[in-house]
Amino acid sequence: MRETRQASGAVRPGGRTARTRAAVLDAARDELEDAGYAGLTLERVAERSGVHLATLYRRWRTVEGLVVDLLGEIGKTRVPIPDTGSLEEDLRILALEIARLYQQPRMRALIEGVVAAAVRSPEASDAWATVIAERNRLAARIVERAVERGELPPGTDGIAVISAVGAPIYYRMLVARGAVDDALAESTAVSVHAGALKGAFTRPAGDPPADGTPSTTP
Amino acid sequence: MRETRQASGAVRPGGRTARTRAAVLDAARDELEDAGYAGLTLERVAERSGVHLATLYRRWRTVEGLVVDLLGEIGKTRVPIPDTGSLEEDLRILALEIARLYQQPRMRALIEGVVAAAVRSPEASDAWATVIAERNRLAARIVERAVERGELPPGTDGIAVISAVGAPIYYRMLVARGAVDDALAESTAVSVHAGALKGAFTRPAGDPPADGTPSTTP
């Protein structure tokens, strides 16, 4: 994976500082995959990346600082938003995409680290909440399109529906501490679809969306 | 709260060791409420409890060790399982109970600490997964009763339903990093009820329950 990144990043912009940062983030990702968040220390990342520990302390200060930087990278990766013309199928594909993301040990370790860092550091908490809000906002198009097609009641809160699709997968990882399987994704998509049809996620006109951001309805 | 515990524990068994442990756990809970998991250190718990730091290091070793012990206490508290005769109402009451639990800053800080500790310590992870599994097993009676009454399809997985009720609340706390409100609980209960009626949580006879424990169906 590191090979792929380096090959595709042959004209990596920014010179030495950018190269240092890339080496450190690559090493942090590798450490997470090998040892999980429990094994992530600035010392080990310094050793693995060949970057001086003093540089790491100066630039990232703590493991949480490193995680915030990794999060920025995650935020930039594009996740395809399904648009099959059927809400049930779109939700199913979305749920399976999330499940398969976290079936990768590297991604699961990263997200466990992010959640632990968010609890300890307000900066990490804000960075994480921002990434998730942006992801959910993009995926909420699925719901908006279903409302436009007349599949869902007007006023259905897209963020609430998309959050409900992701929630059981995070619950499995962080609370039940079990494996994320495709069956969980499929069952969640069927359930959330039924709930949305039933109007469980509609809100009165003028009410703010489920994540507390200002309403866009007039 | 500390007063209540001491009053009811007037004949606290175990003498000095038990009193030391109770003082340490009380102090840890108070620290969590005041400073969150980020502020929880053995040094501060020692200072607050008046117990020697060396004793804390010897008995609990790390903050994660302390969290495991707190978890054991949570596991012992009884949570009422609603039995109103209506599945929808039972799920609504259960969701509101969970939401109101985590509307308490002390409980939210504790659970954030537990999740962070579970990521760093396999012991904490096992202790936490055990508490949650036991809670979910008790609450799954709600679903079993609804199946017996003919409200739900046979083969509905109680653990899966109960997990789906809790999941959005944990997601709000740990992922979206927002406030847990009653509206989230109500909307989740309506949605999970619709999903269960639709058969989203049924599993083929003989399949293990959603958390991977052995099946009790013949």
Side-chain angles (χ1 to χ4, degrees):
Chain A
M1 180 128 185
R2 182 189 289 198
E3 287 67 33
T4 319
R5 264 197 307 269
Q6 288 191 338
S8 69
V11 273
R12 204 191 279 280
R16 200 160 73 97
T17 308
R19 280 198 306 276
T20 299
R21 176 165 174 267
V24 166
L25 295 188
D26 281 358
R29 265 185 288 255
D30 291 342
E31 275 295 310
L32 276 172
E33 185 164 7
D34 290 352
Y37 185 68
L40 190 67
T41 62
L42 293 189
E43 287 75 8
R44 290 178 68 147
V45 173
E47 200 175 313
R48 188 158 199 156
S49 63
V51 172
H52 283 299
L53 182 58
T55 306
L56 268 86
Y57 275 121
R58 197 171 55 241
R59 180 144 179 188
W60 287 277
R61 286 190 304 140
T62 59
V63 162
E64 285 80 14
L66 209 49
V67 166
V68 169
D69 214 356
L70 280 177
L71 259 176
E73 294 294 294
I74 296 179
K76 279 183 223 148
T77 58
R78 292 167 62 87
V79 176
I81 306 296
D83 183 13
T84 62
S86 147
L87 173 65
E88 184 158 19
E89 187 60 13
D90 283 356
L91 294 180
R92 192 178 151 270
I93 293 170
L94 180 72
L96 284 168
E97 280 174 359
I98 302 172
R100 283 168 189 171
L101 190 68
Y102 294 125
Q103 285 165 7
Q104 303 169 41
R106 172 186 289 255
M107 286 307 297
R108 178 159 180 169
L110 177 57
I111 237 52
E112 292 190 345
V114 163
V115 168
V119 167
R120 291 198 83 99
S121 139
E123 245 188 335
S125 175
D126 288 350
W128 172 224
T130 303
V131 166
I132 283 292
E134 176 64 10
R135 286 278 147 111
N136 285 350
R137 196 187 60 75
L138 290 173
R141 271 301 289 145
I142 292 172
V143 177
E144 290 155 15
R145 283 192 289 251
V147 172
E148 286 158 16
R149 286 193 305 264
E151 269 194 84
L152 280 183
T156 301
D157 185 332
I159 302 287
V161 174
I162 299 302
S163 299
V165 170
I169 295 169
Y170 287 94
Y171 180 92
R172 180 68 65 85
M173 290 192 286
L174 300 168
V175 182
R177 308 282 306 158
V180 173
D181 50 36
D182 286 359
L184 174 64
E186 307 253 12
S187 136
T188 298
V190 172
S191 177
V192 172
H193 180 246
L197 291 186
K198 185 85 185 292
F201 304 104
T202 54
R203 54 194 159 86
D207 265 25
D211 66 349
T213 57
S215 171
T216 53
T217 38
Chain B
M1 181 133 180
R2 183 188 288 197
E3 286 67 31
T4 319
R5 264 197 307 269
Q6 288 190 340
S8 67
V11 271
R12 203 191 280 281
R16 201 160 72 98
T17 308
R19 280 197 306 276
T20 299
R21 175 164 175 268
V24 166
L25 295 188
D26 281 357
R29 265 185 289 254
D30 290 342
E31 276 295 310
L32 275 172
E33 185 164 7
D34 290 352
Y37 186 67
L40 190 67
T41 62
L42 293 189
E43 286 76 7
R44 290 179 69 147
V45 173
E47 201 175 313
R48 188 157 200 155
S49 63
V51 172
H52 284 298
L53 181 58
T55 306
L56 267 86
Y57 275 122
R58 195 171 56 242
R59 180 141 178 190
W60 287 277
R61 286 189 305 140
T62 59
V63 162
E64 285 81 14
L66 209 49
V67 167
V68 169
D69 214 356
L70 280 177
L71 260 176
E73 293 295 293
I74 295 179
K76 277 182 226 152
T77 58
R78 292 167 62 89
V79 176
I81 306 297
D83 183 14
T84 62
S86 147
L87 174 65
E88 184 158 20
E89 187 58 14
D90 282 356
L91 293 180
R92 192 179 152 271
I93 293 170
L94 180 71
L96 284 168
E97 281 175 359
I98 301 172
R100 283 167 189 173
L101 191 67
Y102 295 126
Q103 285 164 7
Q104 302 170 40
R106 173 186 288 252
M107 286 307 298
R108 178 159 180 167
L110 177 57
I111 238 52
E112 292 192 345
V114 162
V115 168
V119 167
R120 292 198 82 98
S121 140
E123 243 188 337
S125 175
D126 289 351
W128 171 225
T130 303
V131 166
I132 284 292
E134 175 63 9
R135 287 277 148 115
N136 284 350
R137 195 187 60 74
L138 290 174
R141 271 303 287 147
I142 291 172
V143 177
E144 290 155 15
R145 283 191 289 250
V147 172
E148 286 157 17
R149 286 193 304 264
E151 268 194 84
L152 279 183
T156 301
D157 185 331
I159 302 287
V161 174
I162 299 302
S163 299
V165 170
I169 295 169
Y170 287 95
Y171 180 93
R172 179 67 66 84
M173 290 192 285
L174 301 168
V175 182
R177 309 283 306 155
V180 173
D181 49 36
D182 286 359
L184 174 65
E186 306 253 12
S187 136
T188 298
V190 172
S191 177
V192 172
H193 180 245
L197 290 186
K198 185 83 187 289
F201 304 104
T202 53
R203 55 194 158 87
D207 266 26
D211 67 348
T213 56
S215 173
T216 50
T217 39

PDB file of all heavy atoms in Angstrom, chain B residues 79 81 133-142 145 159:
ATOM      1  N   VAL B  79     -31.034  -2.159  35.627  1.00  0.00           N
ATOM      2  CA  VAL B  79     -31.763  -1.263  34.733  1.00  0.00           C
ATOM      3  C   VAL B  79     -33.137  -1.869  34.510  1.00  0.00           C
ATOM      4  O   VAL B  79     -33.230  -3.044  34.163  1.00  0.00           O
ATOM      5  CB  VAL B  79     -31.028  -1.095  33.386  1.00  0.00           C
ATOM      6  CG1 VAL B  79     -31.841  -0.250  32.428  1.00  0.00           C
ATOM      7  CG2 VAL B  79     -29.656  -0.483  33.599  1.00  0.00           C
ATOM      8  N   ILE B  81     -36.349  -3.199  32.856  1.00  0.00           N
ATOM      9  CA  ILE B  81     -36.701  -3.598  31.490  1.00  0.00           C
ATOM     10  C   ILE B  81     -38.209  -3.409  31.346  1.00  0.00           C
ATOM     11  O   ILE B  81     -38.979  -4.070  32.030  1.00  0.00           O
ATOM     12  CB  ILE B  81     -36.338  -5.082  31.235  1.00  0.00           C
ATOM     13  CG1 ILE B  81     -34.858  -5.359  31.567  1.00  0.00           C
ATOM     14  CG2 ILE B  81     -36.668  -5.473  29.793  1.00  0.00           C
ATOM     15  CD1 ILE B  81     -33.873  -4.609  30.712  1.00  0.00           C
ATOM     16  N   ALA B 133     -23.074  -7.107  26.613  1.00  0.00           N
ATOM     17  CA  ALA B 133     -23.749  -8.345  26.201  1.00  0.00           C
ATOM     18  C   ALA B 133     -24.803  -8.747  27.226  1.00  0.00           C
ATOM     19  O   ALA B 133     -25.914  -9.169  26.879  1.00  0.00           O
ATOM     20  CB  ALA B 133     -22.726  -9.466  26.001  1.00  0.00           C
ATOM     21  N   GLU B 134     -24.465  -8.584  28.513  1.00  0.00           N
ATOM     22  CA  GLU B 134     -25.387  -8.964  29.584  1.00  0.00           C
ATOM     23  C   GLU B 134     -26.607  -8.026  29.588  1.00  0.00           C
ATOM     24  O   GLU B 134     -27.749  -8.474  29.690  1.00  0.00           O
ATOM     25  CB  GLU B 134     -24.637  -8.911  30.925  1.00  0.00           C
ATOM     26  CG  GLU B 134     -25.483  -9.166  32.161  1.00  0.00           C
ATOM     27  CD  GLU B 134     -26.084 -10.568  32.208  1.00  0.00           C
ATOM     28  OE1 GLU B 134     -25.709 -11.423  31.362  1.00  0.00           O
ATOM     29  OE2 GLU B 134     -26.957 -10.812  33.068  1.00  0.00           O
ATOM     30  N   ARG B 135     -26.342  -6.721  29.449  1.00  0.00           N
ATOM     31  CA  ARG B 135     -27.429  -5.742  29.359  1.00  0.00           C
ATOM     32  C   ARG B 135     -28.373  -6.072  28.196  1.00  0.00           C
ATOM     33  O   ARG B 135     -29.589  -6.059  28.328  1.00  0.00           O
ATOM     34  CB  ARG B 135     -26.855  -4.331  29.093  1.00  0.00           C
ATOM     35  CG  ARG B 135     -26.180  -3.702  30.258  1.00  0.00           C
ATOM     36  CD  ARG B 135     -27.231  -3.055  31.130  1.00  0.00           C
ATOM     37  NE  ARG B 135     -26.784  -3.129  32.511  1.00  0.00           N
ATOM     38  CZ  ARG B 135     -26.483  -2.092  33.272  1.00  0.00           C
ATOM     39  NH1 ARG B 135     -26.637  -0.883  32.805  1.00  0.00           N
ATOM     40  NH2 ARG B 135     -26.089  -2.253  34.504  1.00  0.00           N
ATOM     41  N   ASN B 136     -27.770  -6.325  27.038  1.00  0.00           N
ATOM     42  CA  ASN B 136     -28.570  -6.588  25.842  1.00  0.00           C
ATOM     43  C   ASN B 136     -29.358  -7.892  25.975  1.00  0.00           C
ATOM     44  O   ASN B 136     -30.498  -7.986  25.518  1.00  0.00           O
ATOM     45  CB  ASN B 136     -27.670  -6.632  24.598  1.00  0.00           C
ATOM     46  CG  ASN B 136     -27.232  -5.246  24.163  1.00  0.00           C
ATOM     47  OD1 ASN B 136     -27.736  -4.239  24.668  1.00  0.00           O
ATOM     48  ND2 ASN B 136     -26.293  -5.178  23.239  1.00  0.00           N
ATOM     49  N   ARG B 137     -28.752  -8.868  26.636  1.00  0.00           N
ATOM     50  CA  ARG B 137     -29.425 -10.156  26.825  1.00  0.00           C
ATOM     51  C   ARG B 137     -30.682  -9.964  27.692  1.00  0.00           C
ATOM     52  O   ARG B 137     -31.749 -10.507  27.389  1.00  0.00           O
ATOM     53  CB  ARG B 137     -28.460 -11.143  27.501  1.00  0.00           C
ATOM     54  CG  ARG B 137     -28.874 -12.606  27.446  1.00  0.00           C
ATOM     55  CD  ARG B 137     -27.951 -13.479  28.270  1.00  0.00           C
ATOM     56  NE  ARG B 137     -27.924 -13.105  29.681  1.00  0.00           N
ATOM     57  CZ  ARG B 137     -28.901 -13.357  30.555  1.00  0.00           C
ATOM     58  NH1 ARG B 137     -29.990 -13.992  30.157  1.00  0.00           N
ATOM     59  NH2 ARG B 137     -28.786 -12.982  31.820  1.00  0.00           N
ATOM     60  N   LEU B 138     -30.546  -9.150  28.744  1.00  0.00           N
ATOM     61  CA  LEU B 138     -31.709  -8.885  29.605  1.00  0.00           C
ATOM     62  C   LEU B 138     -32.792  -8.130  28.837  1.00  0.00           C
ATOM     63  O   LEU B 138     -33.980  -8.479  28.888  1.00  0.00           O
ATOM     64  CB  LEU B 138     -31.283  -8.069  30.835  1.00  0.00           C
ATOM     65  CG  LEU B 138     -30.430  -8.811  31.870  1.00  0.00           C
ATOM     66  CD1 LEU B 138     -29.949  -7.851  32.957  1.00  0.00           C
ATOM     67  CD2 LEU B 138     -31.215  -9.966  32.508  1.00  0.00           C
ATOM     68  N   ALA B 139     -32.380  -7.107  28.091  1.00  0.00           N
ATOM     69  CA  ALA B 139     -33.362  -6.285  27.371  1.00  0.00           C
ATOM     70  C   ALA B 139     -33.997  -7.054  26.217  1.00  0.00           C
ATOM     71  O   ALA B 139     -35.123  -6.725  25.784  1.00  0.00           O
ATOM     72  CB  ALA B 139     -32.695  -5.008  26.868  1.00  0.00           C
ATOM     73  N   ALA B 140     -33.318  -8.078  25.727  1.00  0.00           N
ATOM     74  CA  ALA B 140     -33.862  -8.855  24.608  1.00  0.00           C
ATOM     75  C   ALA B 140     -35.173  -9.549  24.987  1.00  0.00           C
ATOM     76  O   ALA B 140     -35.943  -9.952  24.106  1.00  0.00           O
ATOM     77  CB  ALA B 140     -32.834  -9.877  24.116  1.00  0.00           C
ATOM     78  N   ARG B 141     -35.457  -9.633  26.279  1.00  0.00           N
ATOM     79  CA  ARG B 141     -36.756 -10.169  26.734  1.00  0.00           C
ATOM     80  C   ARG B 141     -37.916  -9.386  26.124  1.00  0.00           C
ATOM     81  O   ARG B 141     -38.980  -9.941  25.846  1.00  0.00           O
ATOM     82  CB  ARG B 141     -36.859 -10.103  28.270  1.00  0.00           C
ATOM     83  CG  ARG B 141     -36.348 -11.291  29.033  1.00  0.00           C
ATOM     84  CD  ARG B 141     -37.011 -12.605  28.645  1.00  0.00           C
ATOM     85  NE  ARG B 141     -38.399 -12.733  29.123  1.00  0.00           N
ATOM     86  CZ  ARG B 141     -39.351 -13.380  28.463  1.00  0.00           C
ATOM     87  NH1 ARG B 141     -39.098 -13.946  27.297  1.00  0.00           N
ATOM     88  NH2 ARG B 141     -40.578 -13.462  28.963  1.00  0.00           N
ATOM     89  N   ILE B 142     -37.713  -8.083  25.936  1.00  0.00           N
ATOM     90  CA  ILE B 142     -38.736  -7.243  25.304  1.00  0.00           C
ATOM     91  C   ILE B 142     -39.132  -7.830  23.950  1.00  0.00           C
ATOM     92  O   ILE B 142     -40.322  -7.915  23.610  1.00  0.00           O
ATOM     93  CB  ILE B 142     -38.177  -5.812  25.089  1.00  0.00           C
ATOM     94  CG1 ILE B 142     -37.983  -5.090  26.437  1.00  0.00           C
ATOM     95  CG2 ILE B 142     -39.064  -5.000  24.154  1.00  0.00           C
ATOM     96  CD1 ILE B 142     -37.246  -3.760  26.316  1.00  0.00           C
ATOM     97  N   ARG B 145     -40.797 -11.399  24.226  1.00  0.00           N
ATOM     98  CA  ARG B 145     -42.216 -11.299  24.595  1.00  0.00           C
ATOM     99  C   ARG B 145     -43.071 -10.875  23.401  1.00  0.00           C
ATOM    100  O   ARG B 145     -44.189 -11.357  23.218  1.00  0.00           O
ATOM    101  CB  ARG B 145     -42.395 -10.320  25.769  1.00  0.00           C
ATOM    102  CG  ARG B 145     -41.988 -10.928  27.112  1.00  0.00           C
ATOM    103  CD  ARG B 145     -42.421 -10.073  28.290  1.00  0.00           C
ATOM    104  NE  ARG B 145     -41.657  -8.845  28.392  1.00  0.00           N
ATOM    105  CZ  ARG B 145     -40.764  -8.573  29.348  1.00  0.00           C
ATOM    106  NH1 ARG B 145     -40.530  -9.464  30.305  1.00  0.00           N
ATOM    107  NH2 ARG B 145     -40.124  -7.439  29.371  1.00  0.00           N
ATOM    108  N   ILE B 159     -31.172  -9.605  20.383  1.00  0.00           N
ATOM    109  CA  ILE B 159     -29.931  -8.847  20.578  1.00  0.00           C
ATOM    110  C   ILE B 159     -29.768  -7.815  19.457  1.00  0.00           C
ATOM    111  O   ILE B 159     -29.361  -6.672  19.696  1.00  0.00           O
ATOM    112  CB  ILE B 159     -28.705  -9.794  20.584  1.00  0.00           C
ATOM    113  CG1 ILE B 159     -28.836 -10.855  21.697  1.00  0.00           C
ATOM    114  CG2 ILE B 159     -27.407  -9.010  20.723  1.00  0.00           C
ATOM    115  CD1 ILE B 159     -28.621 -10.347  23.083  1.00  0.00           C
TER     116      ILE B 159
END
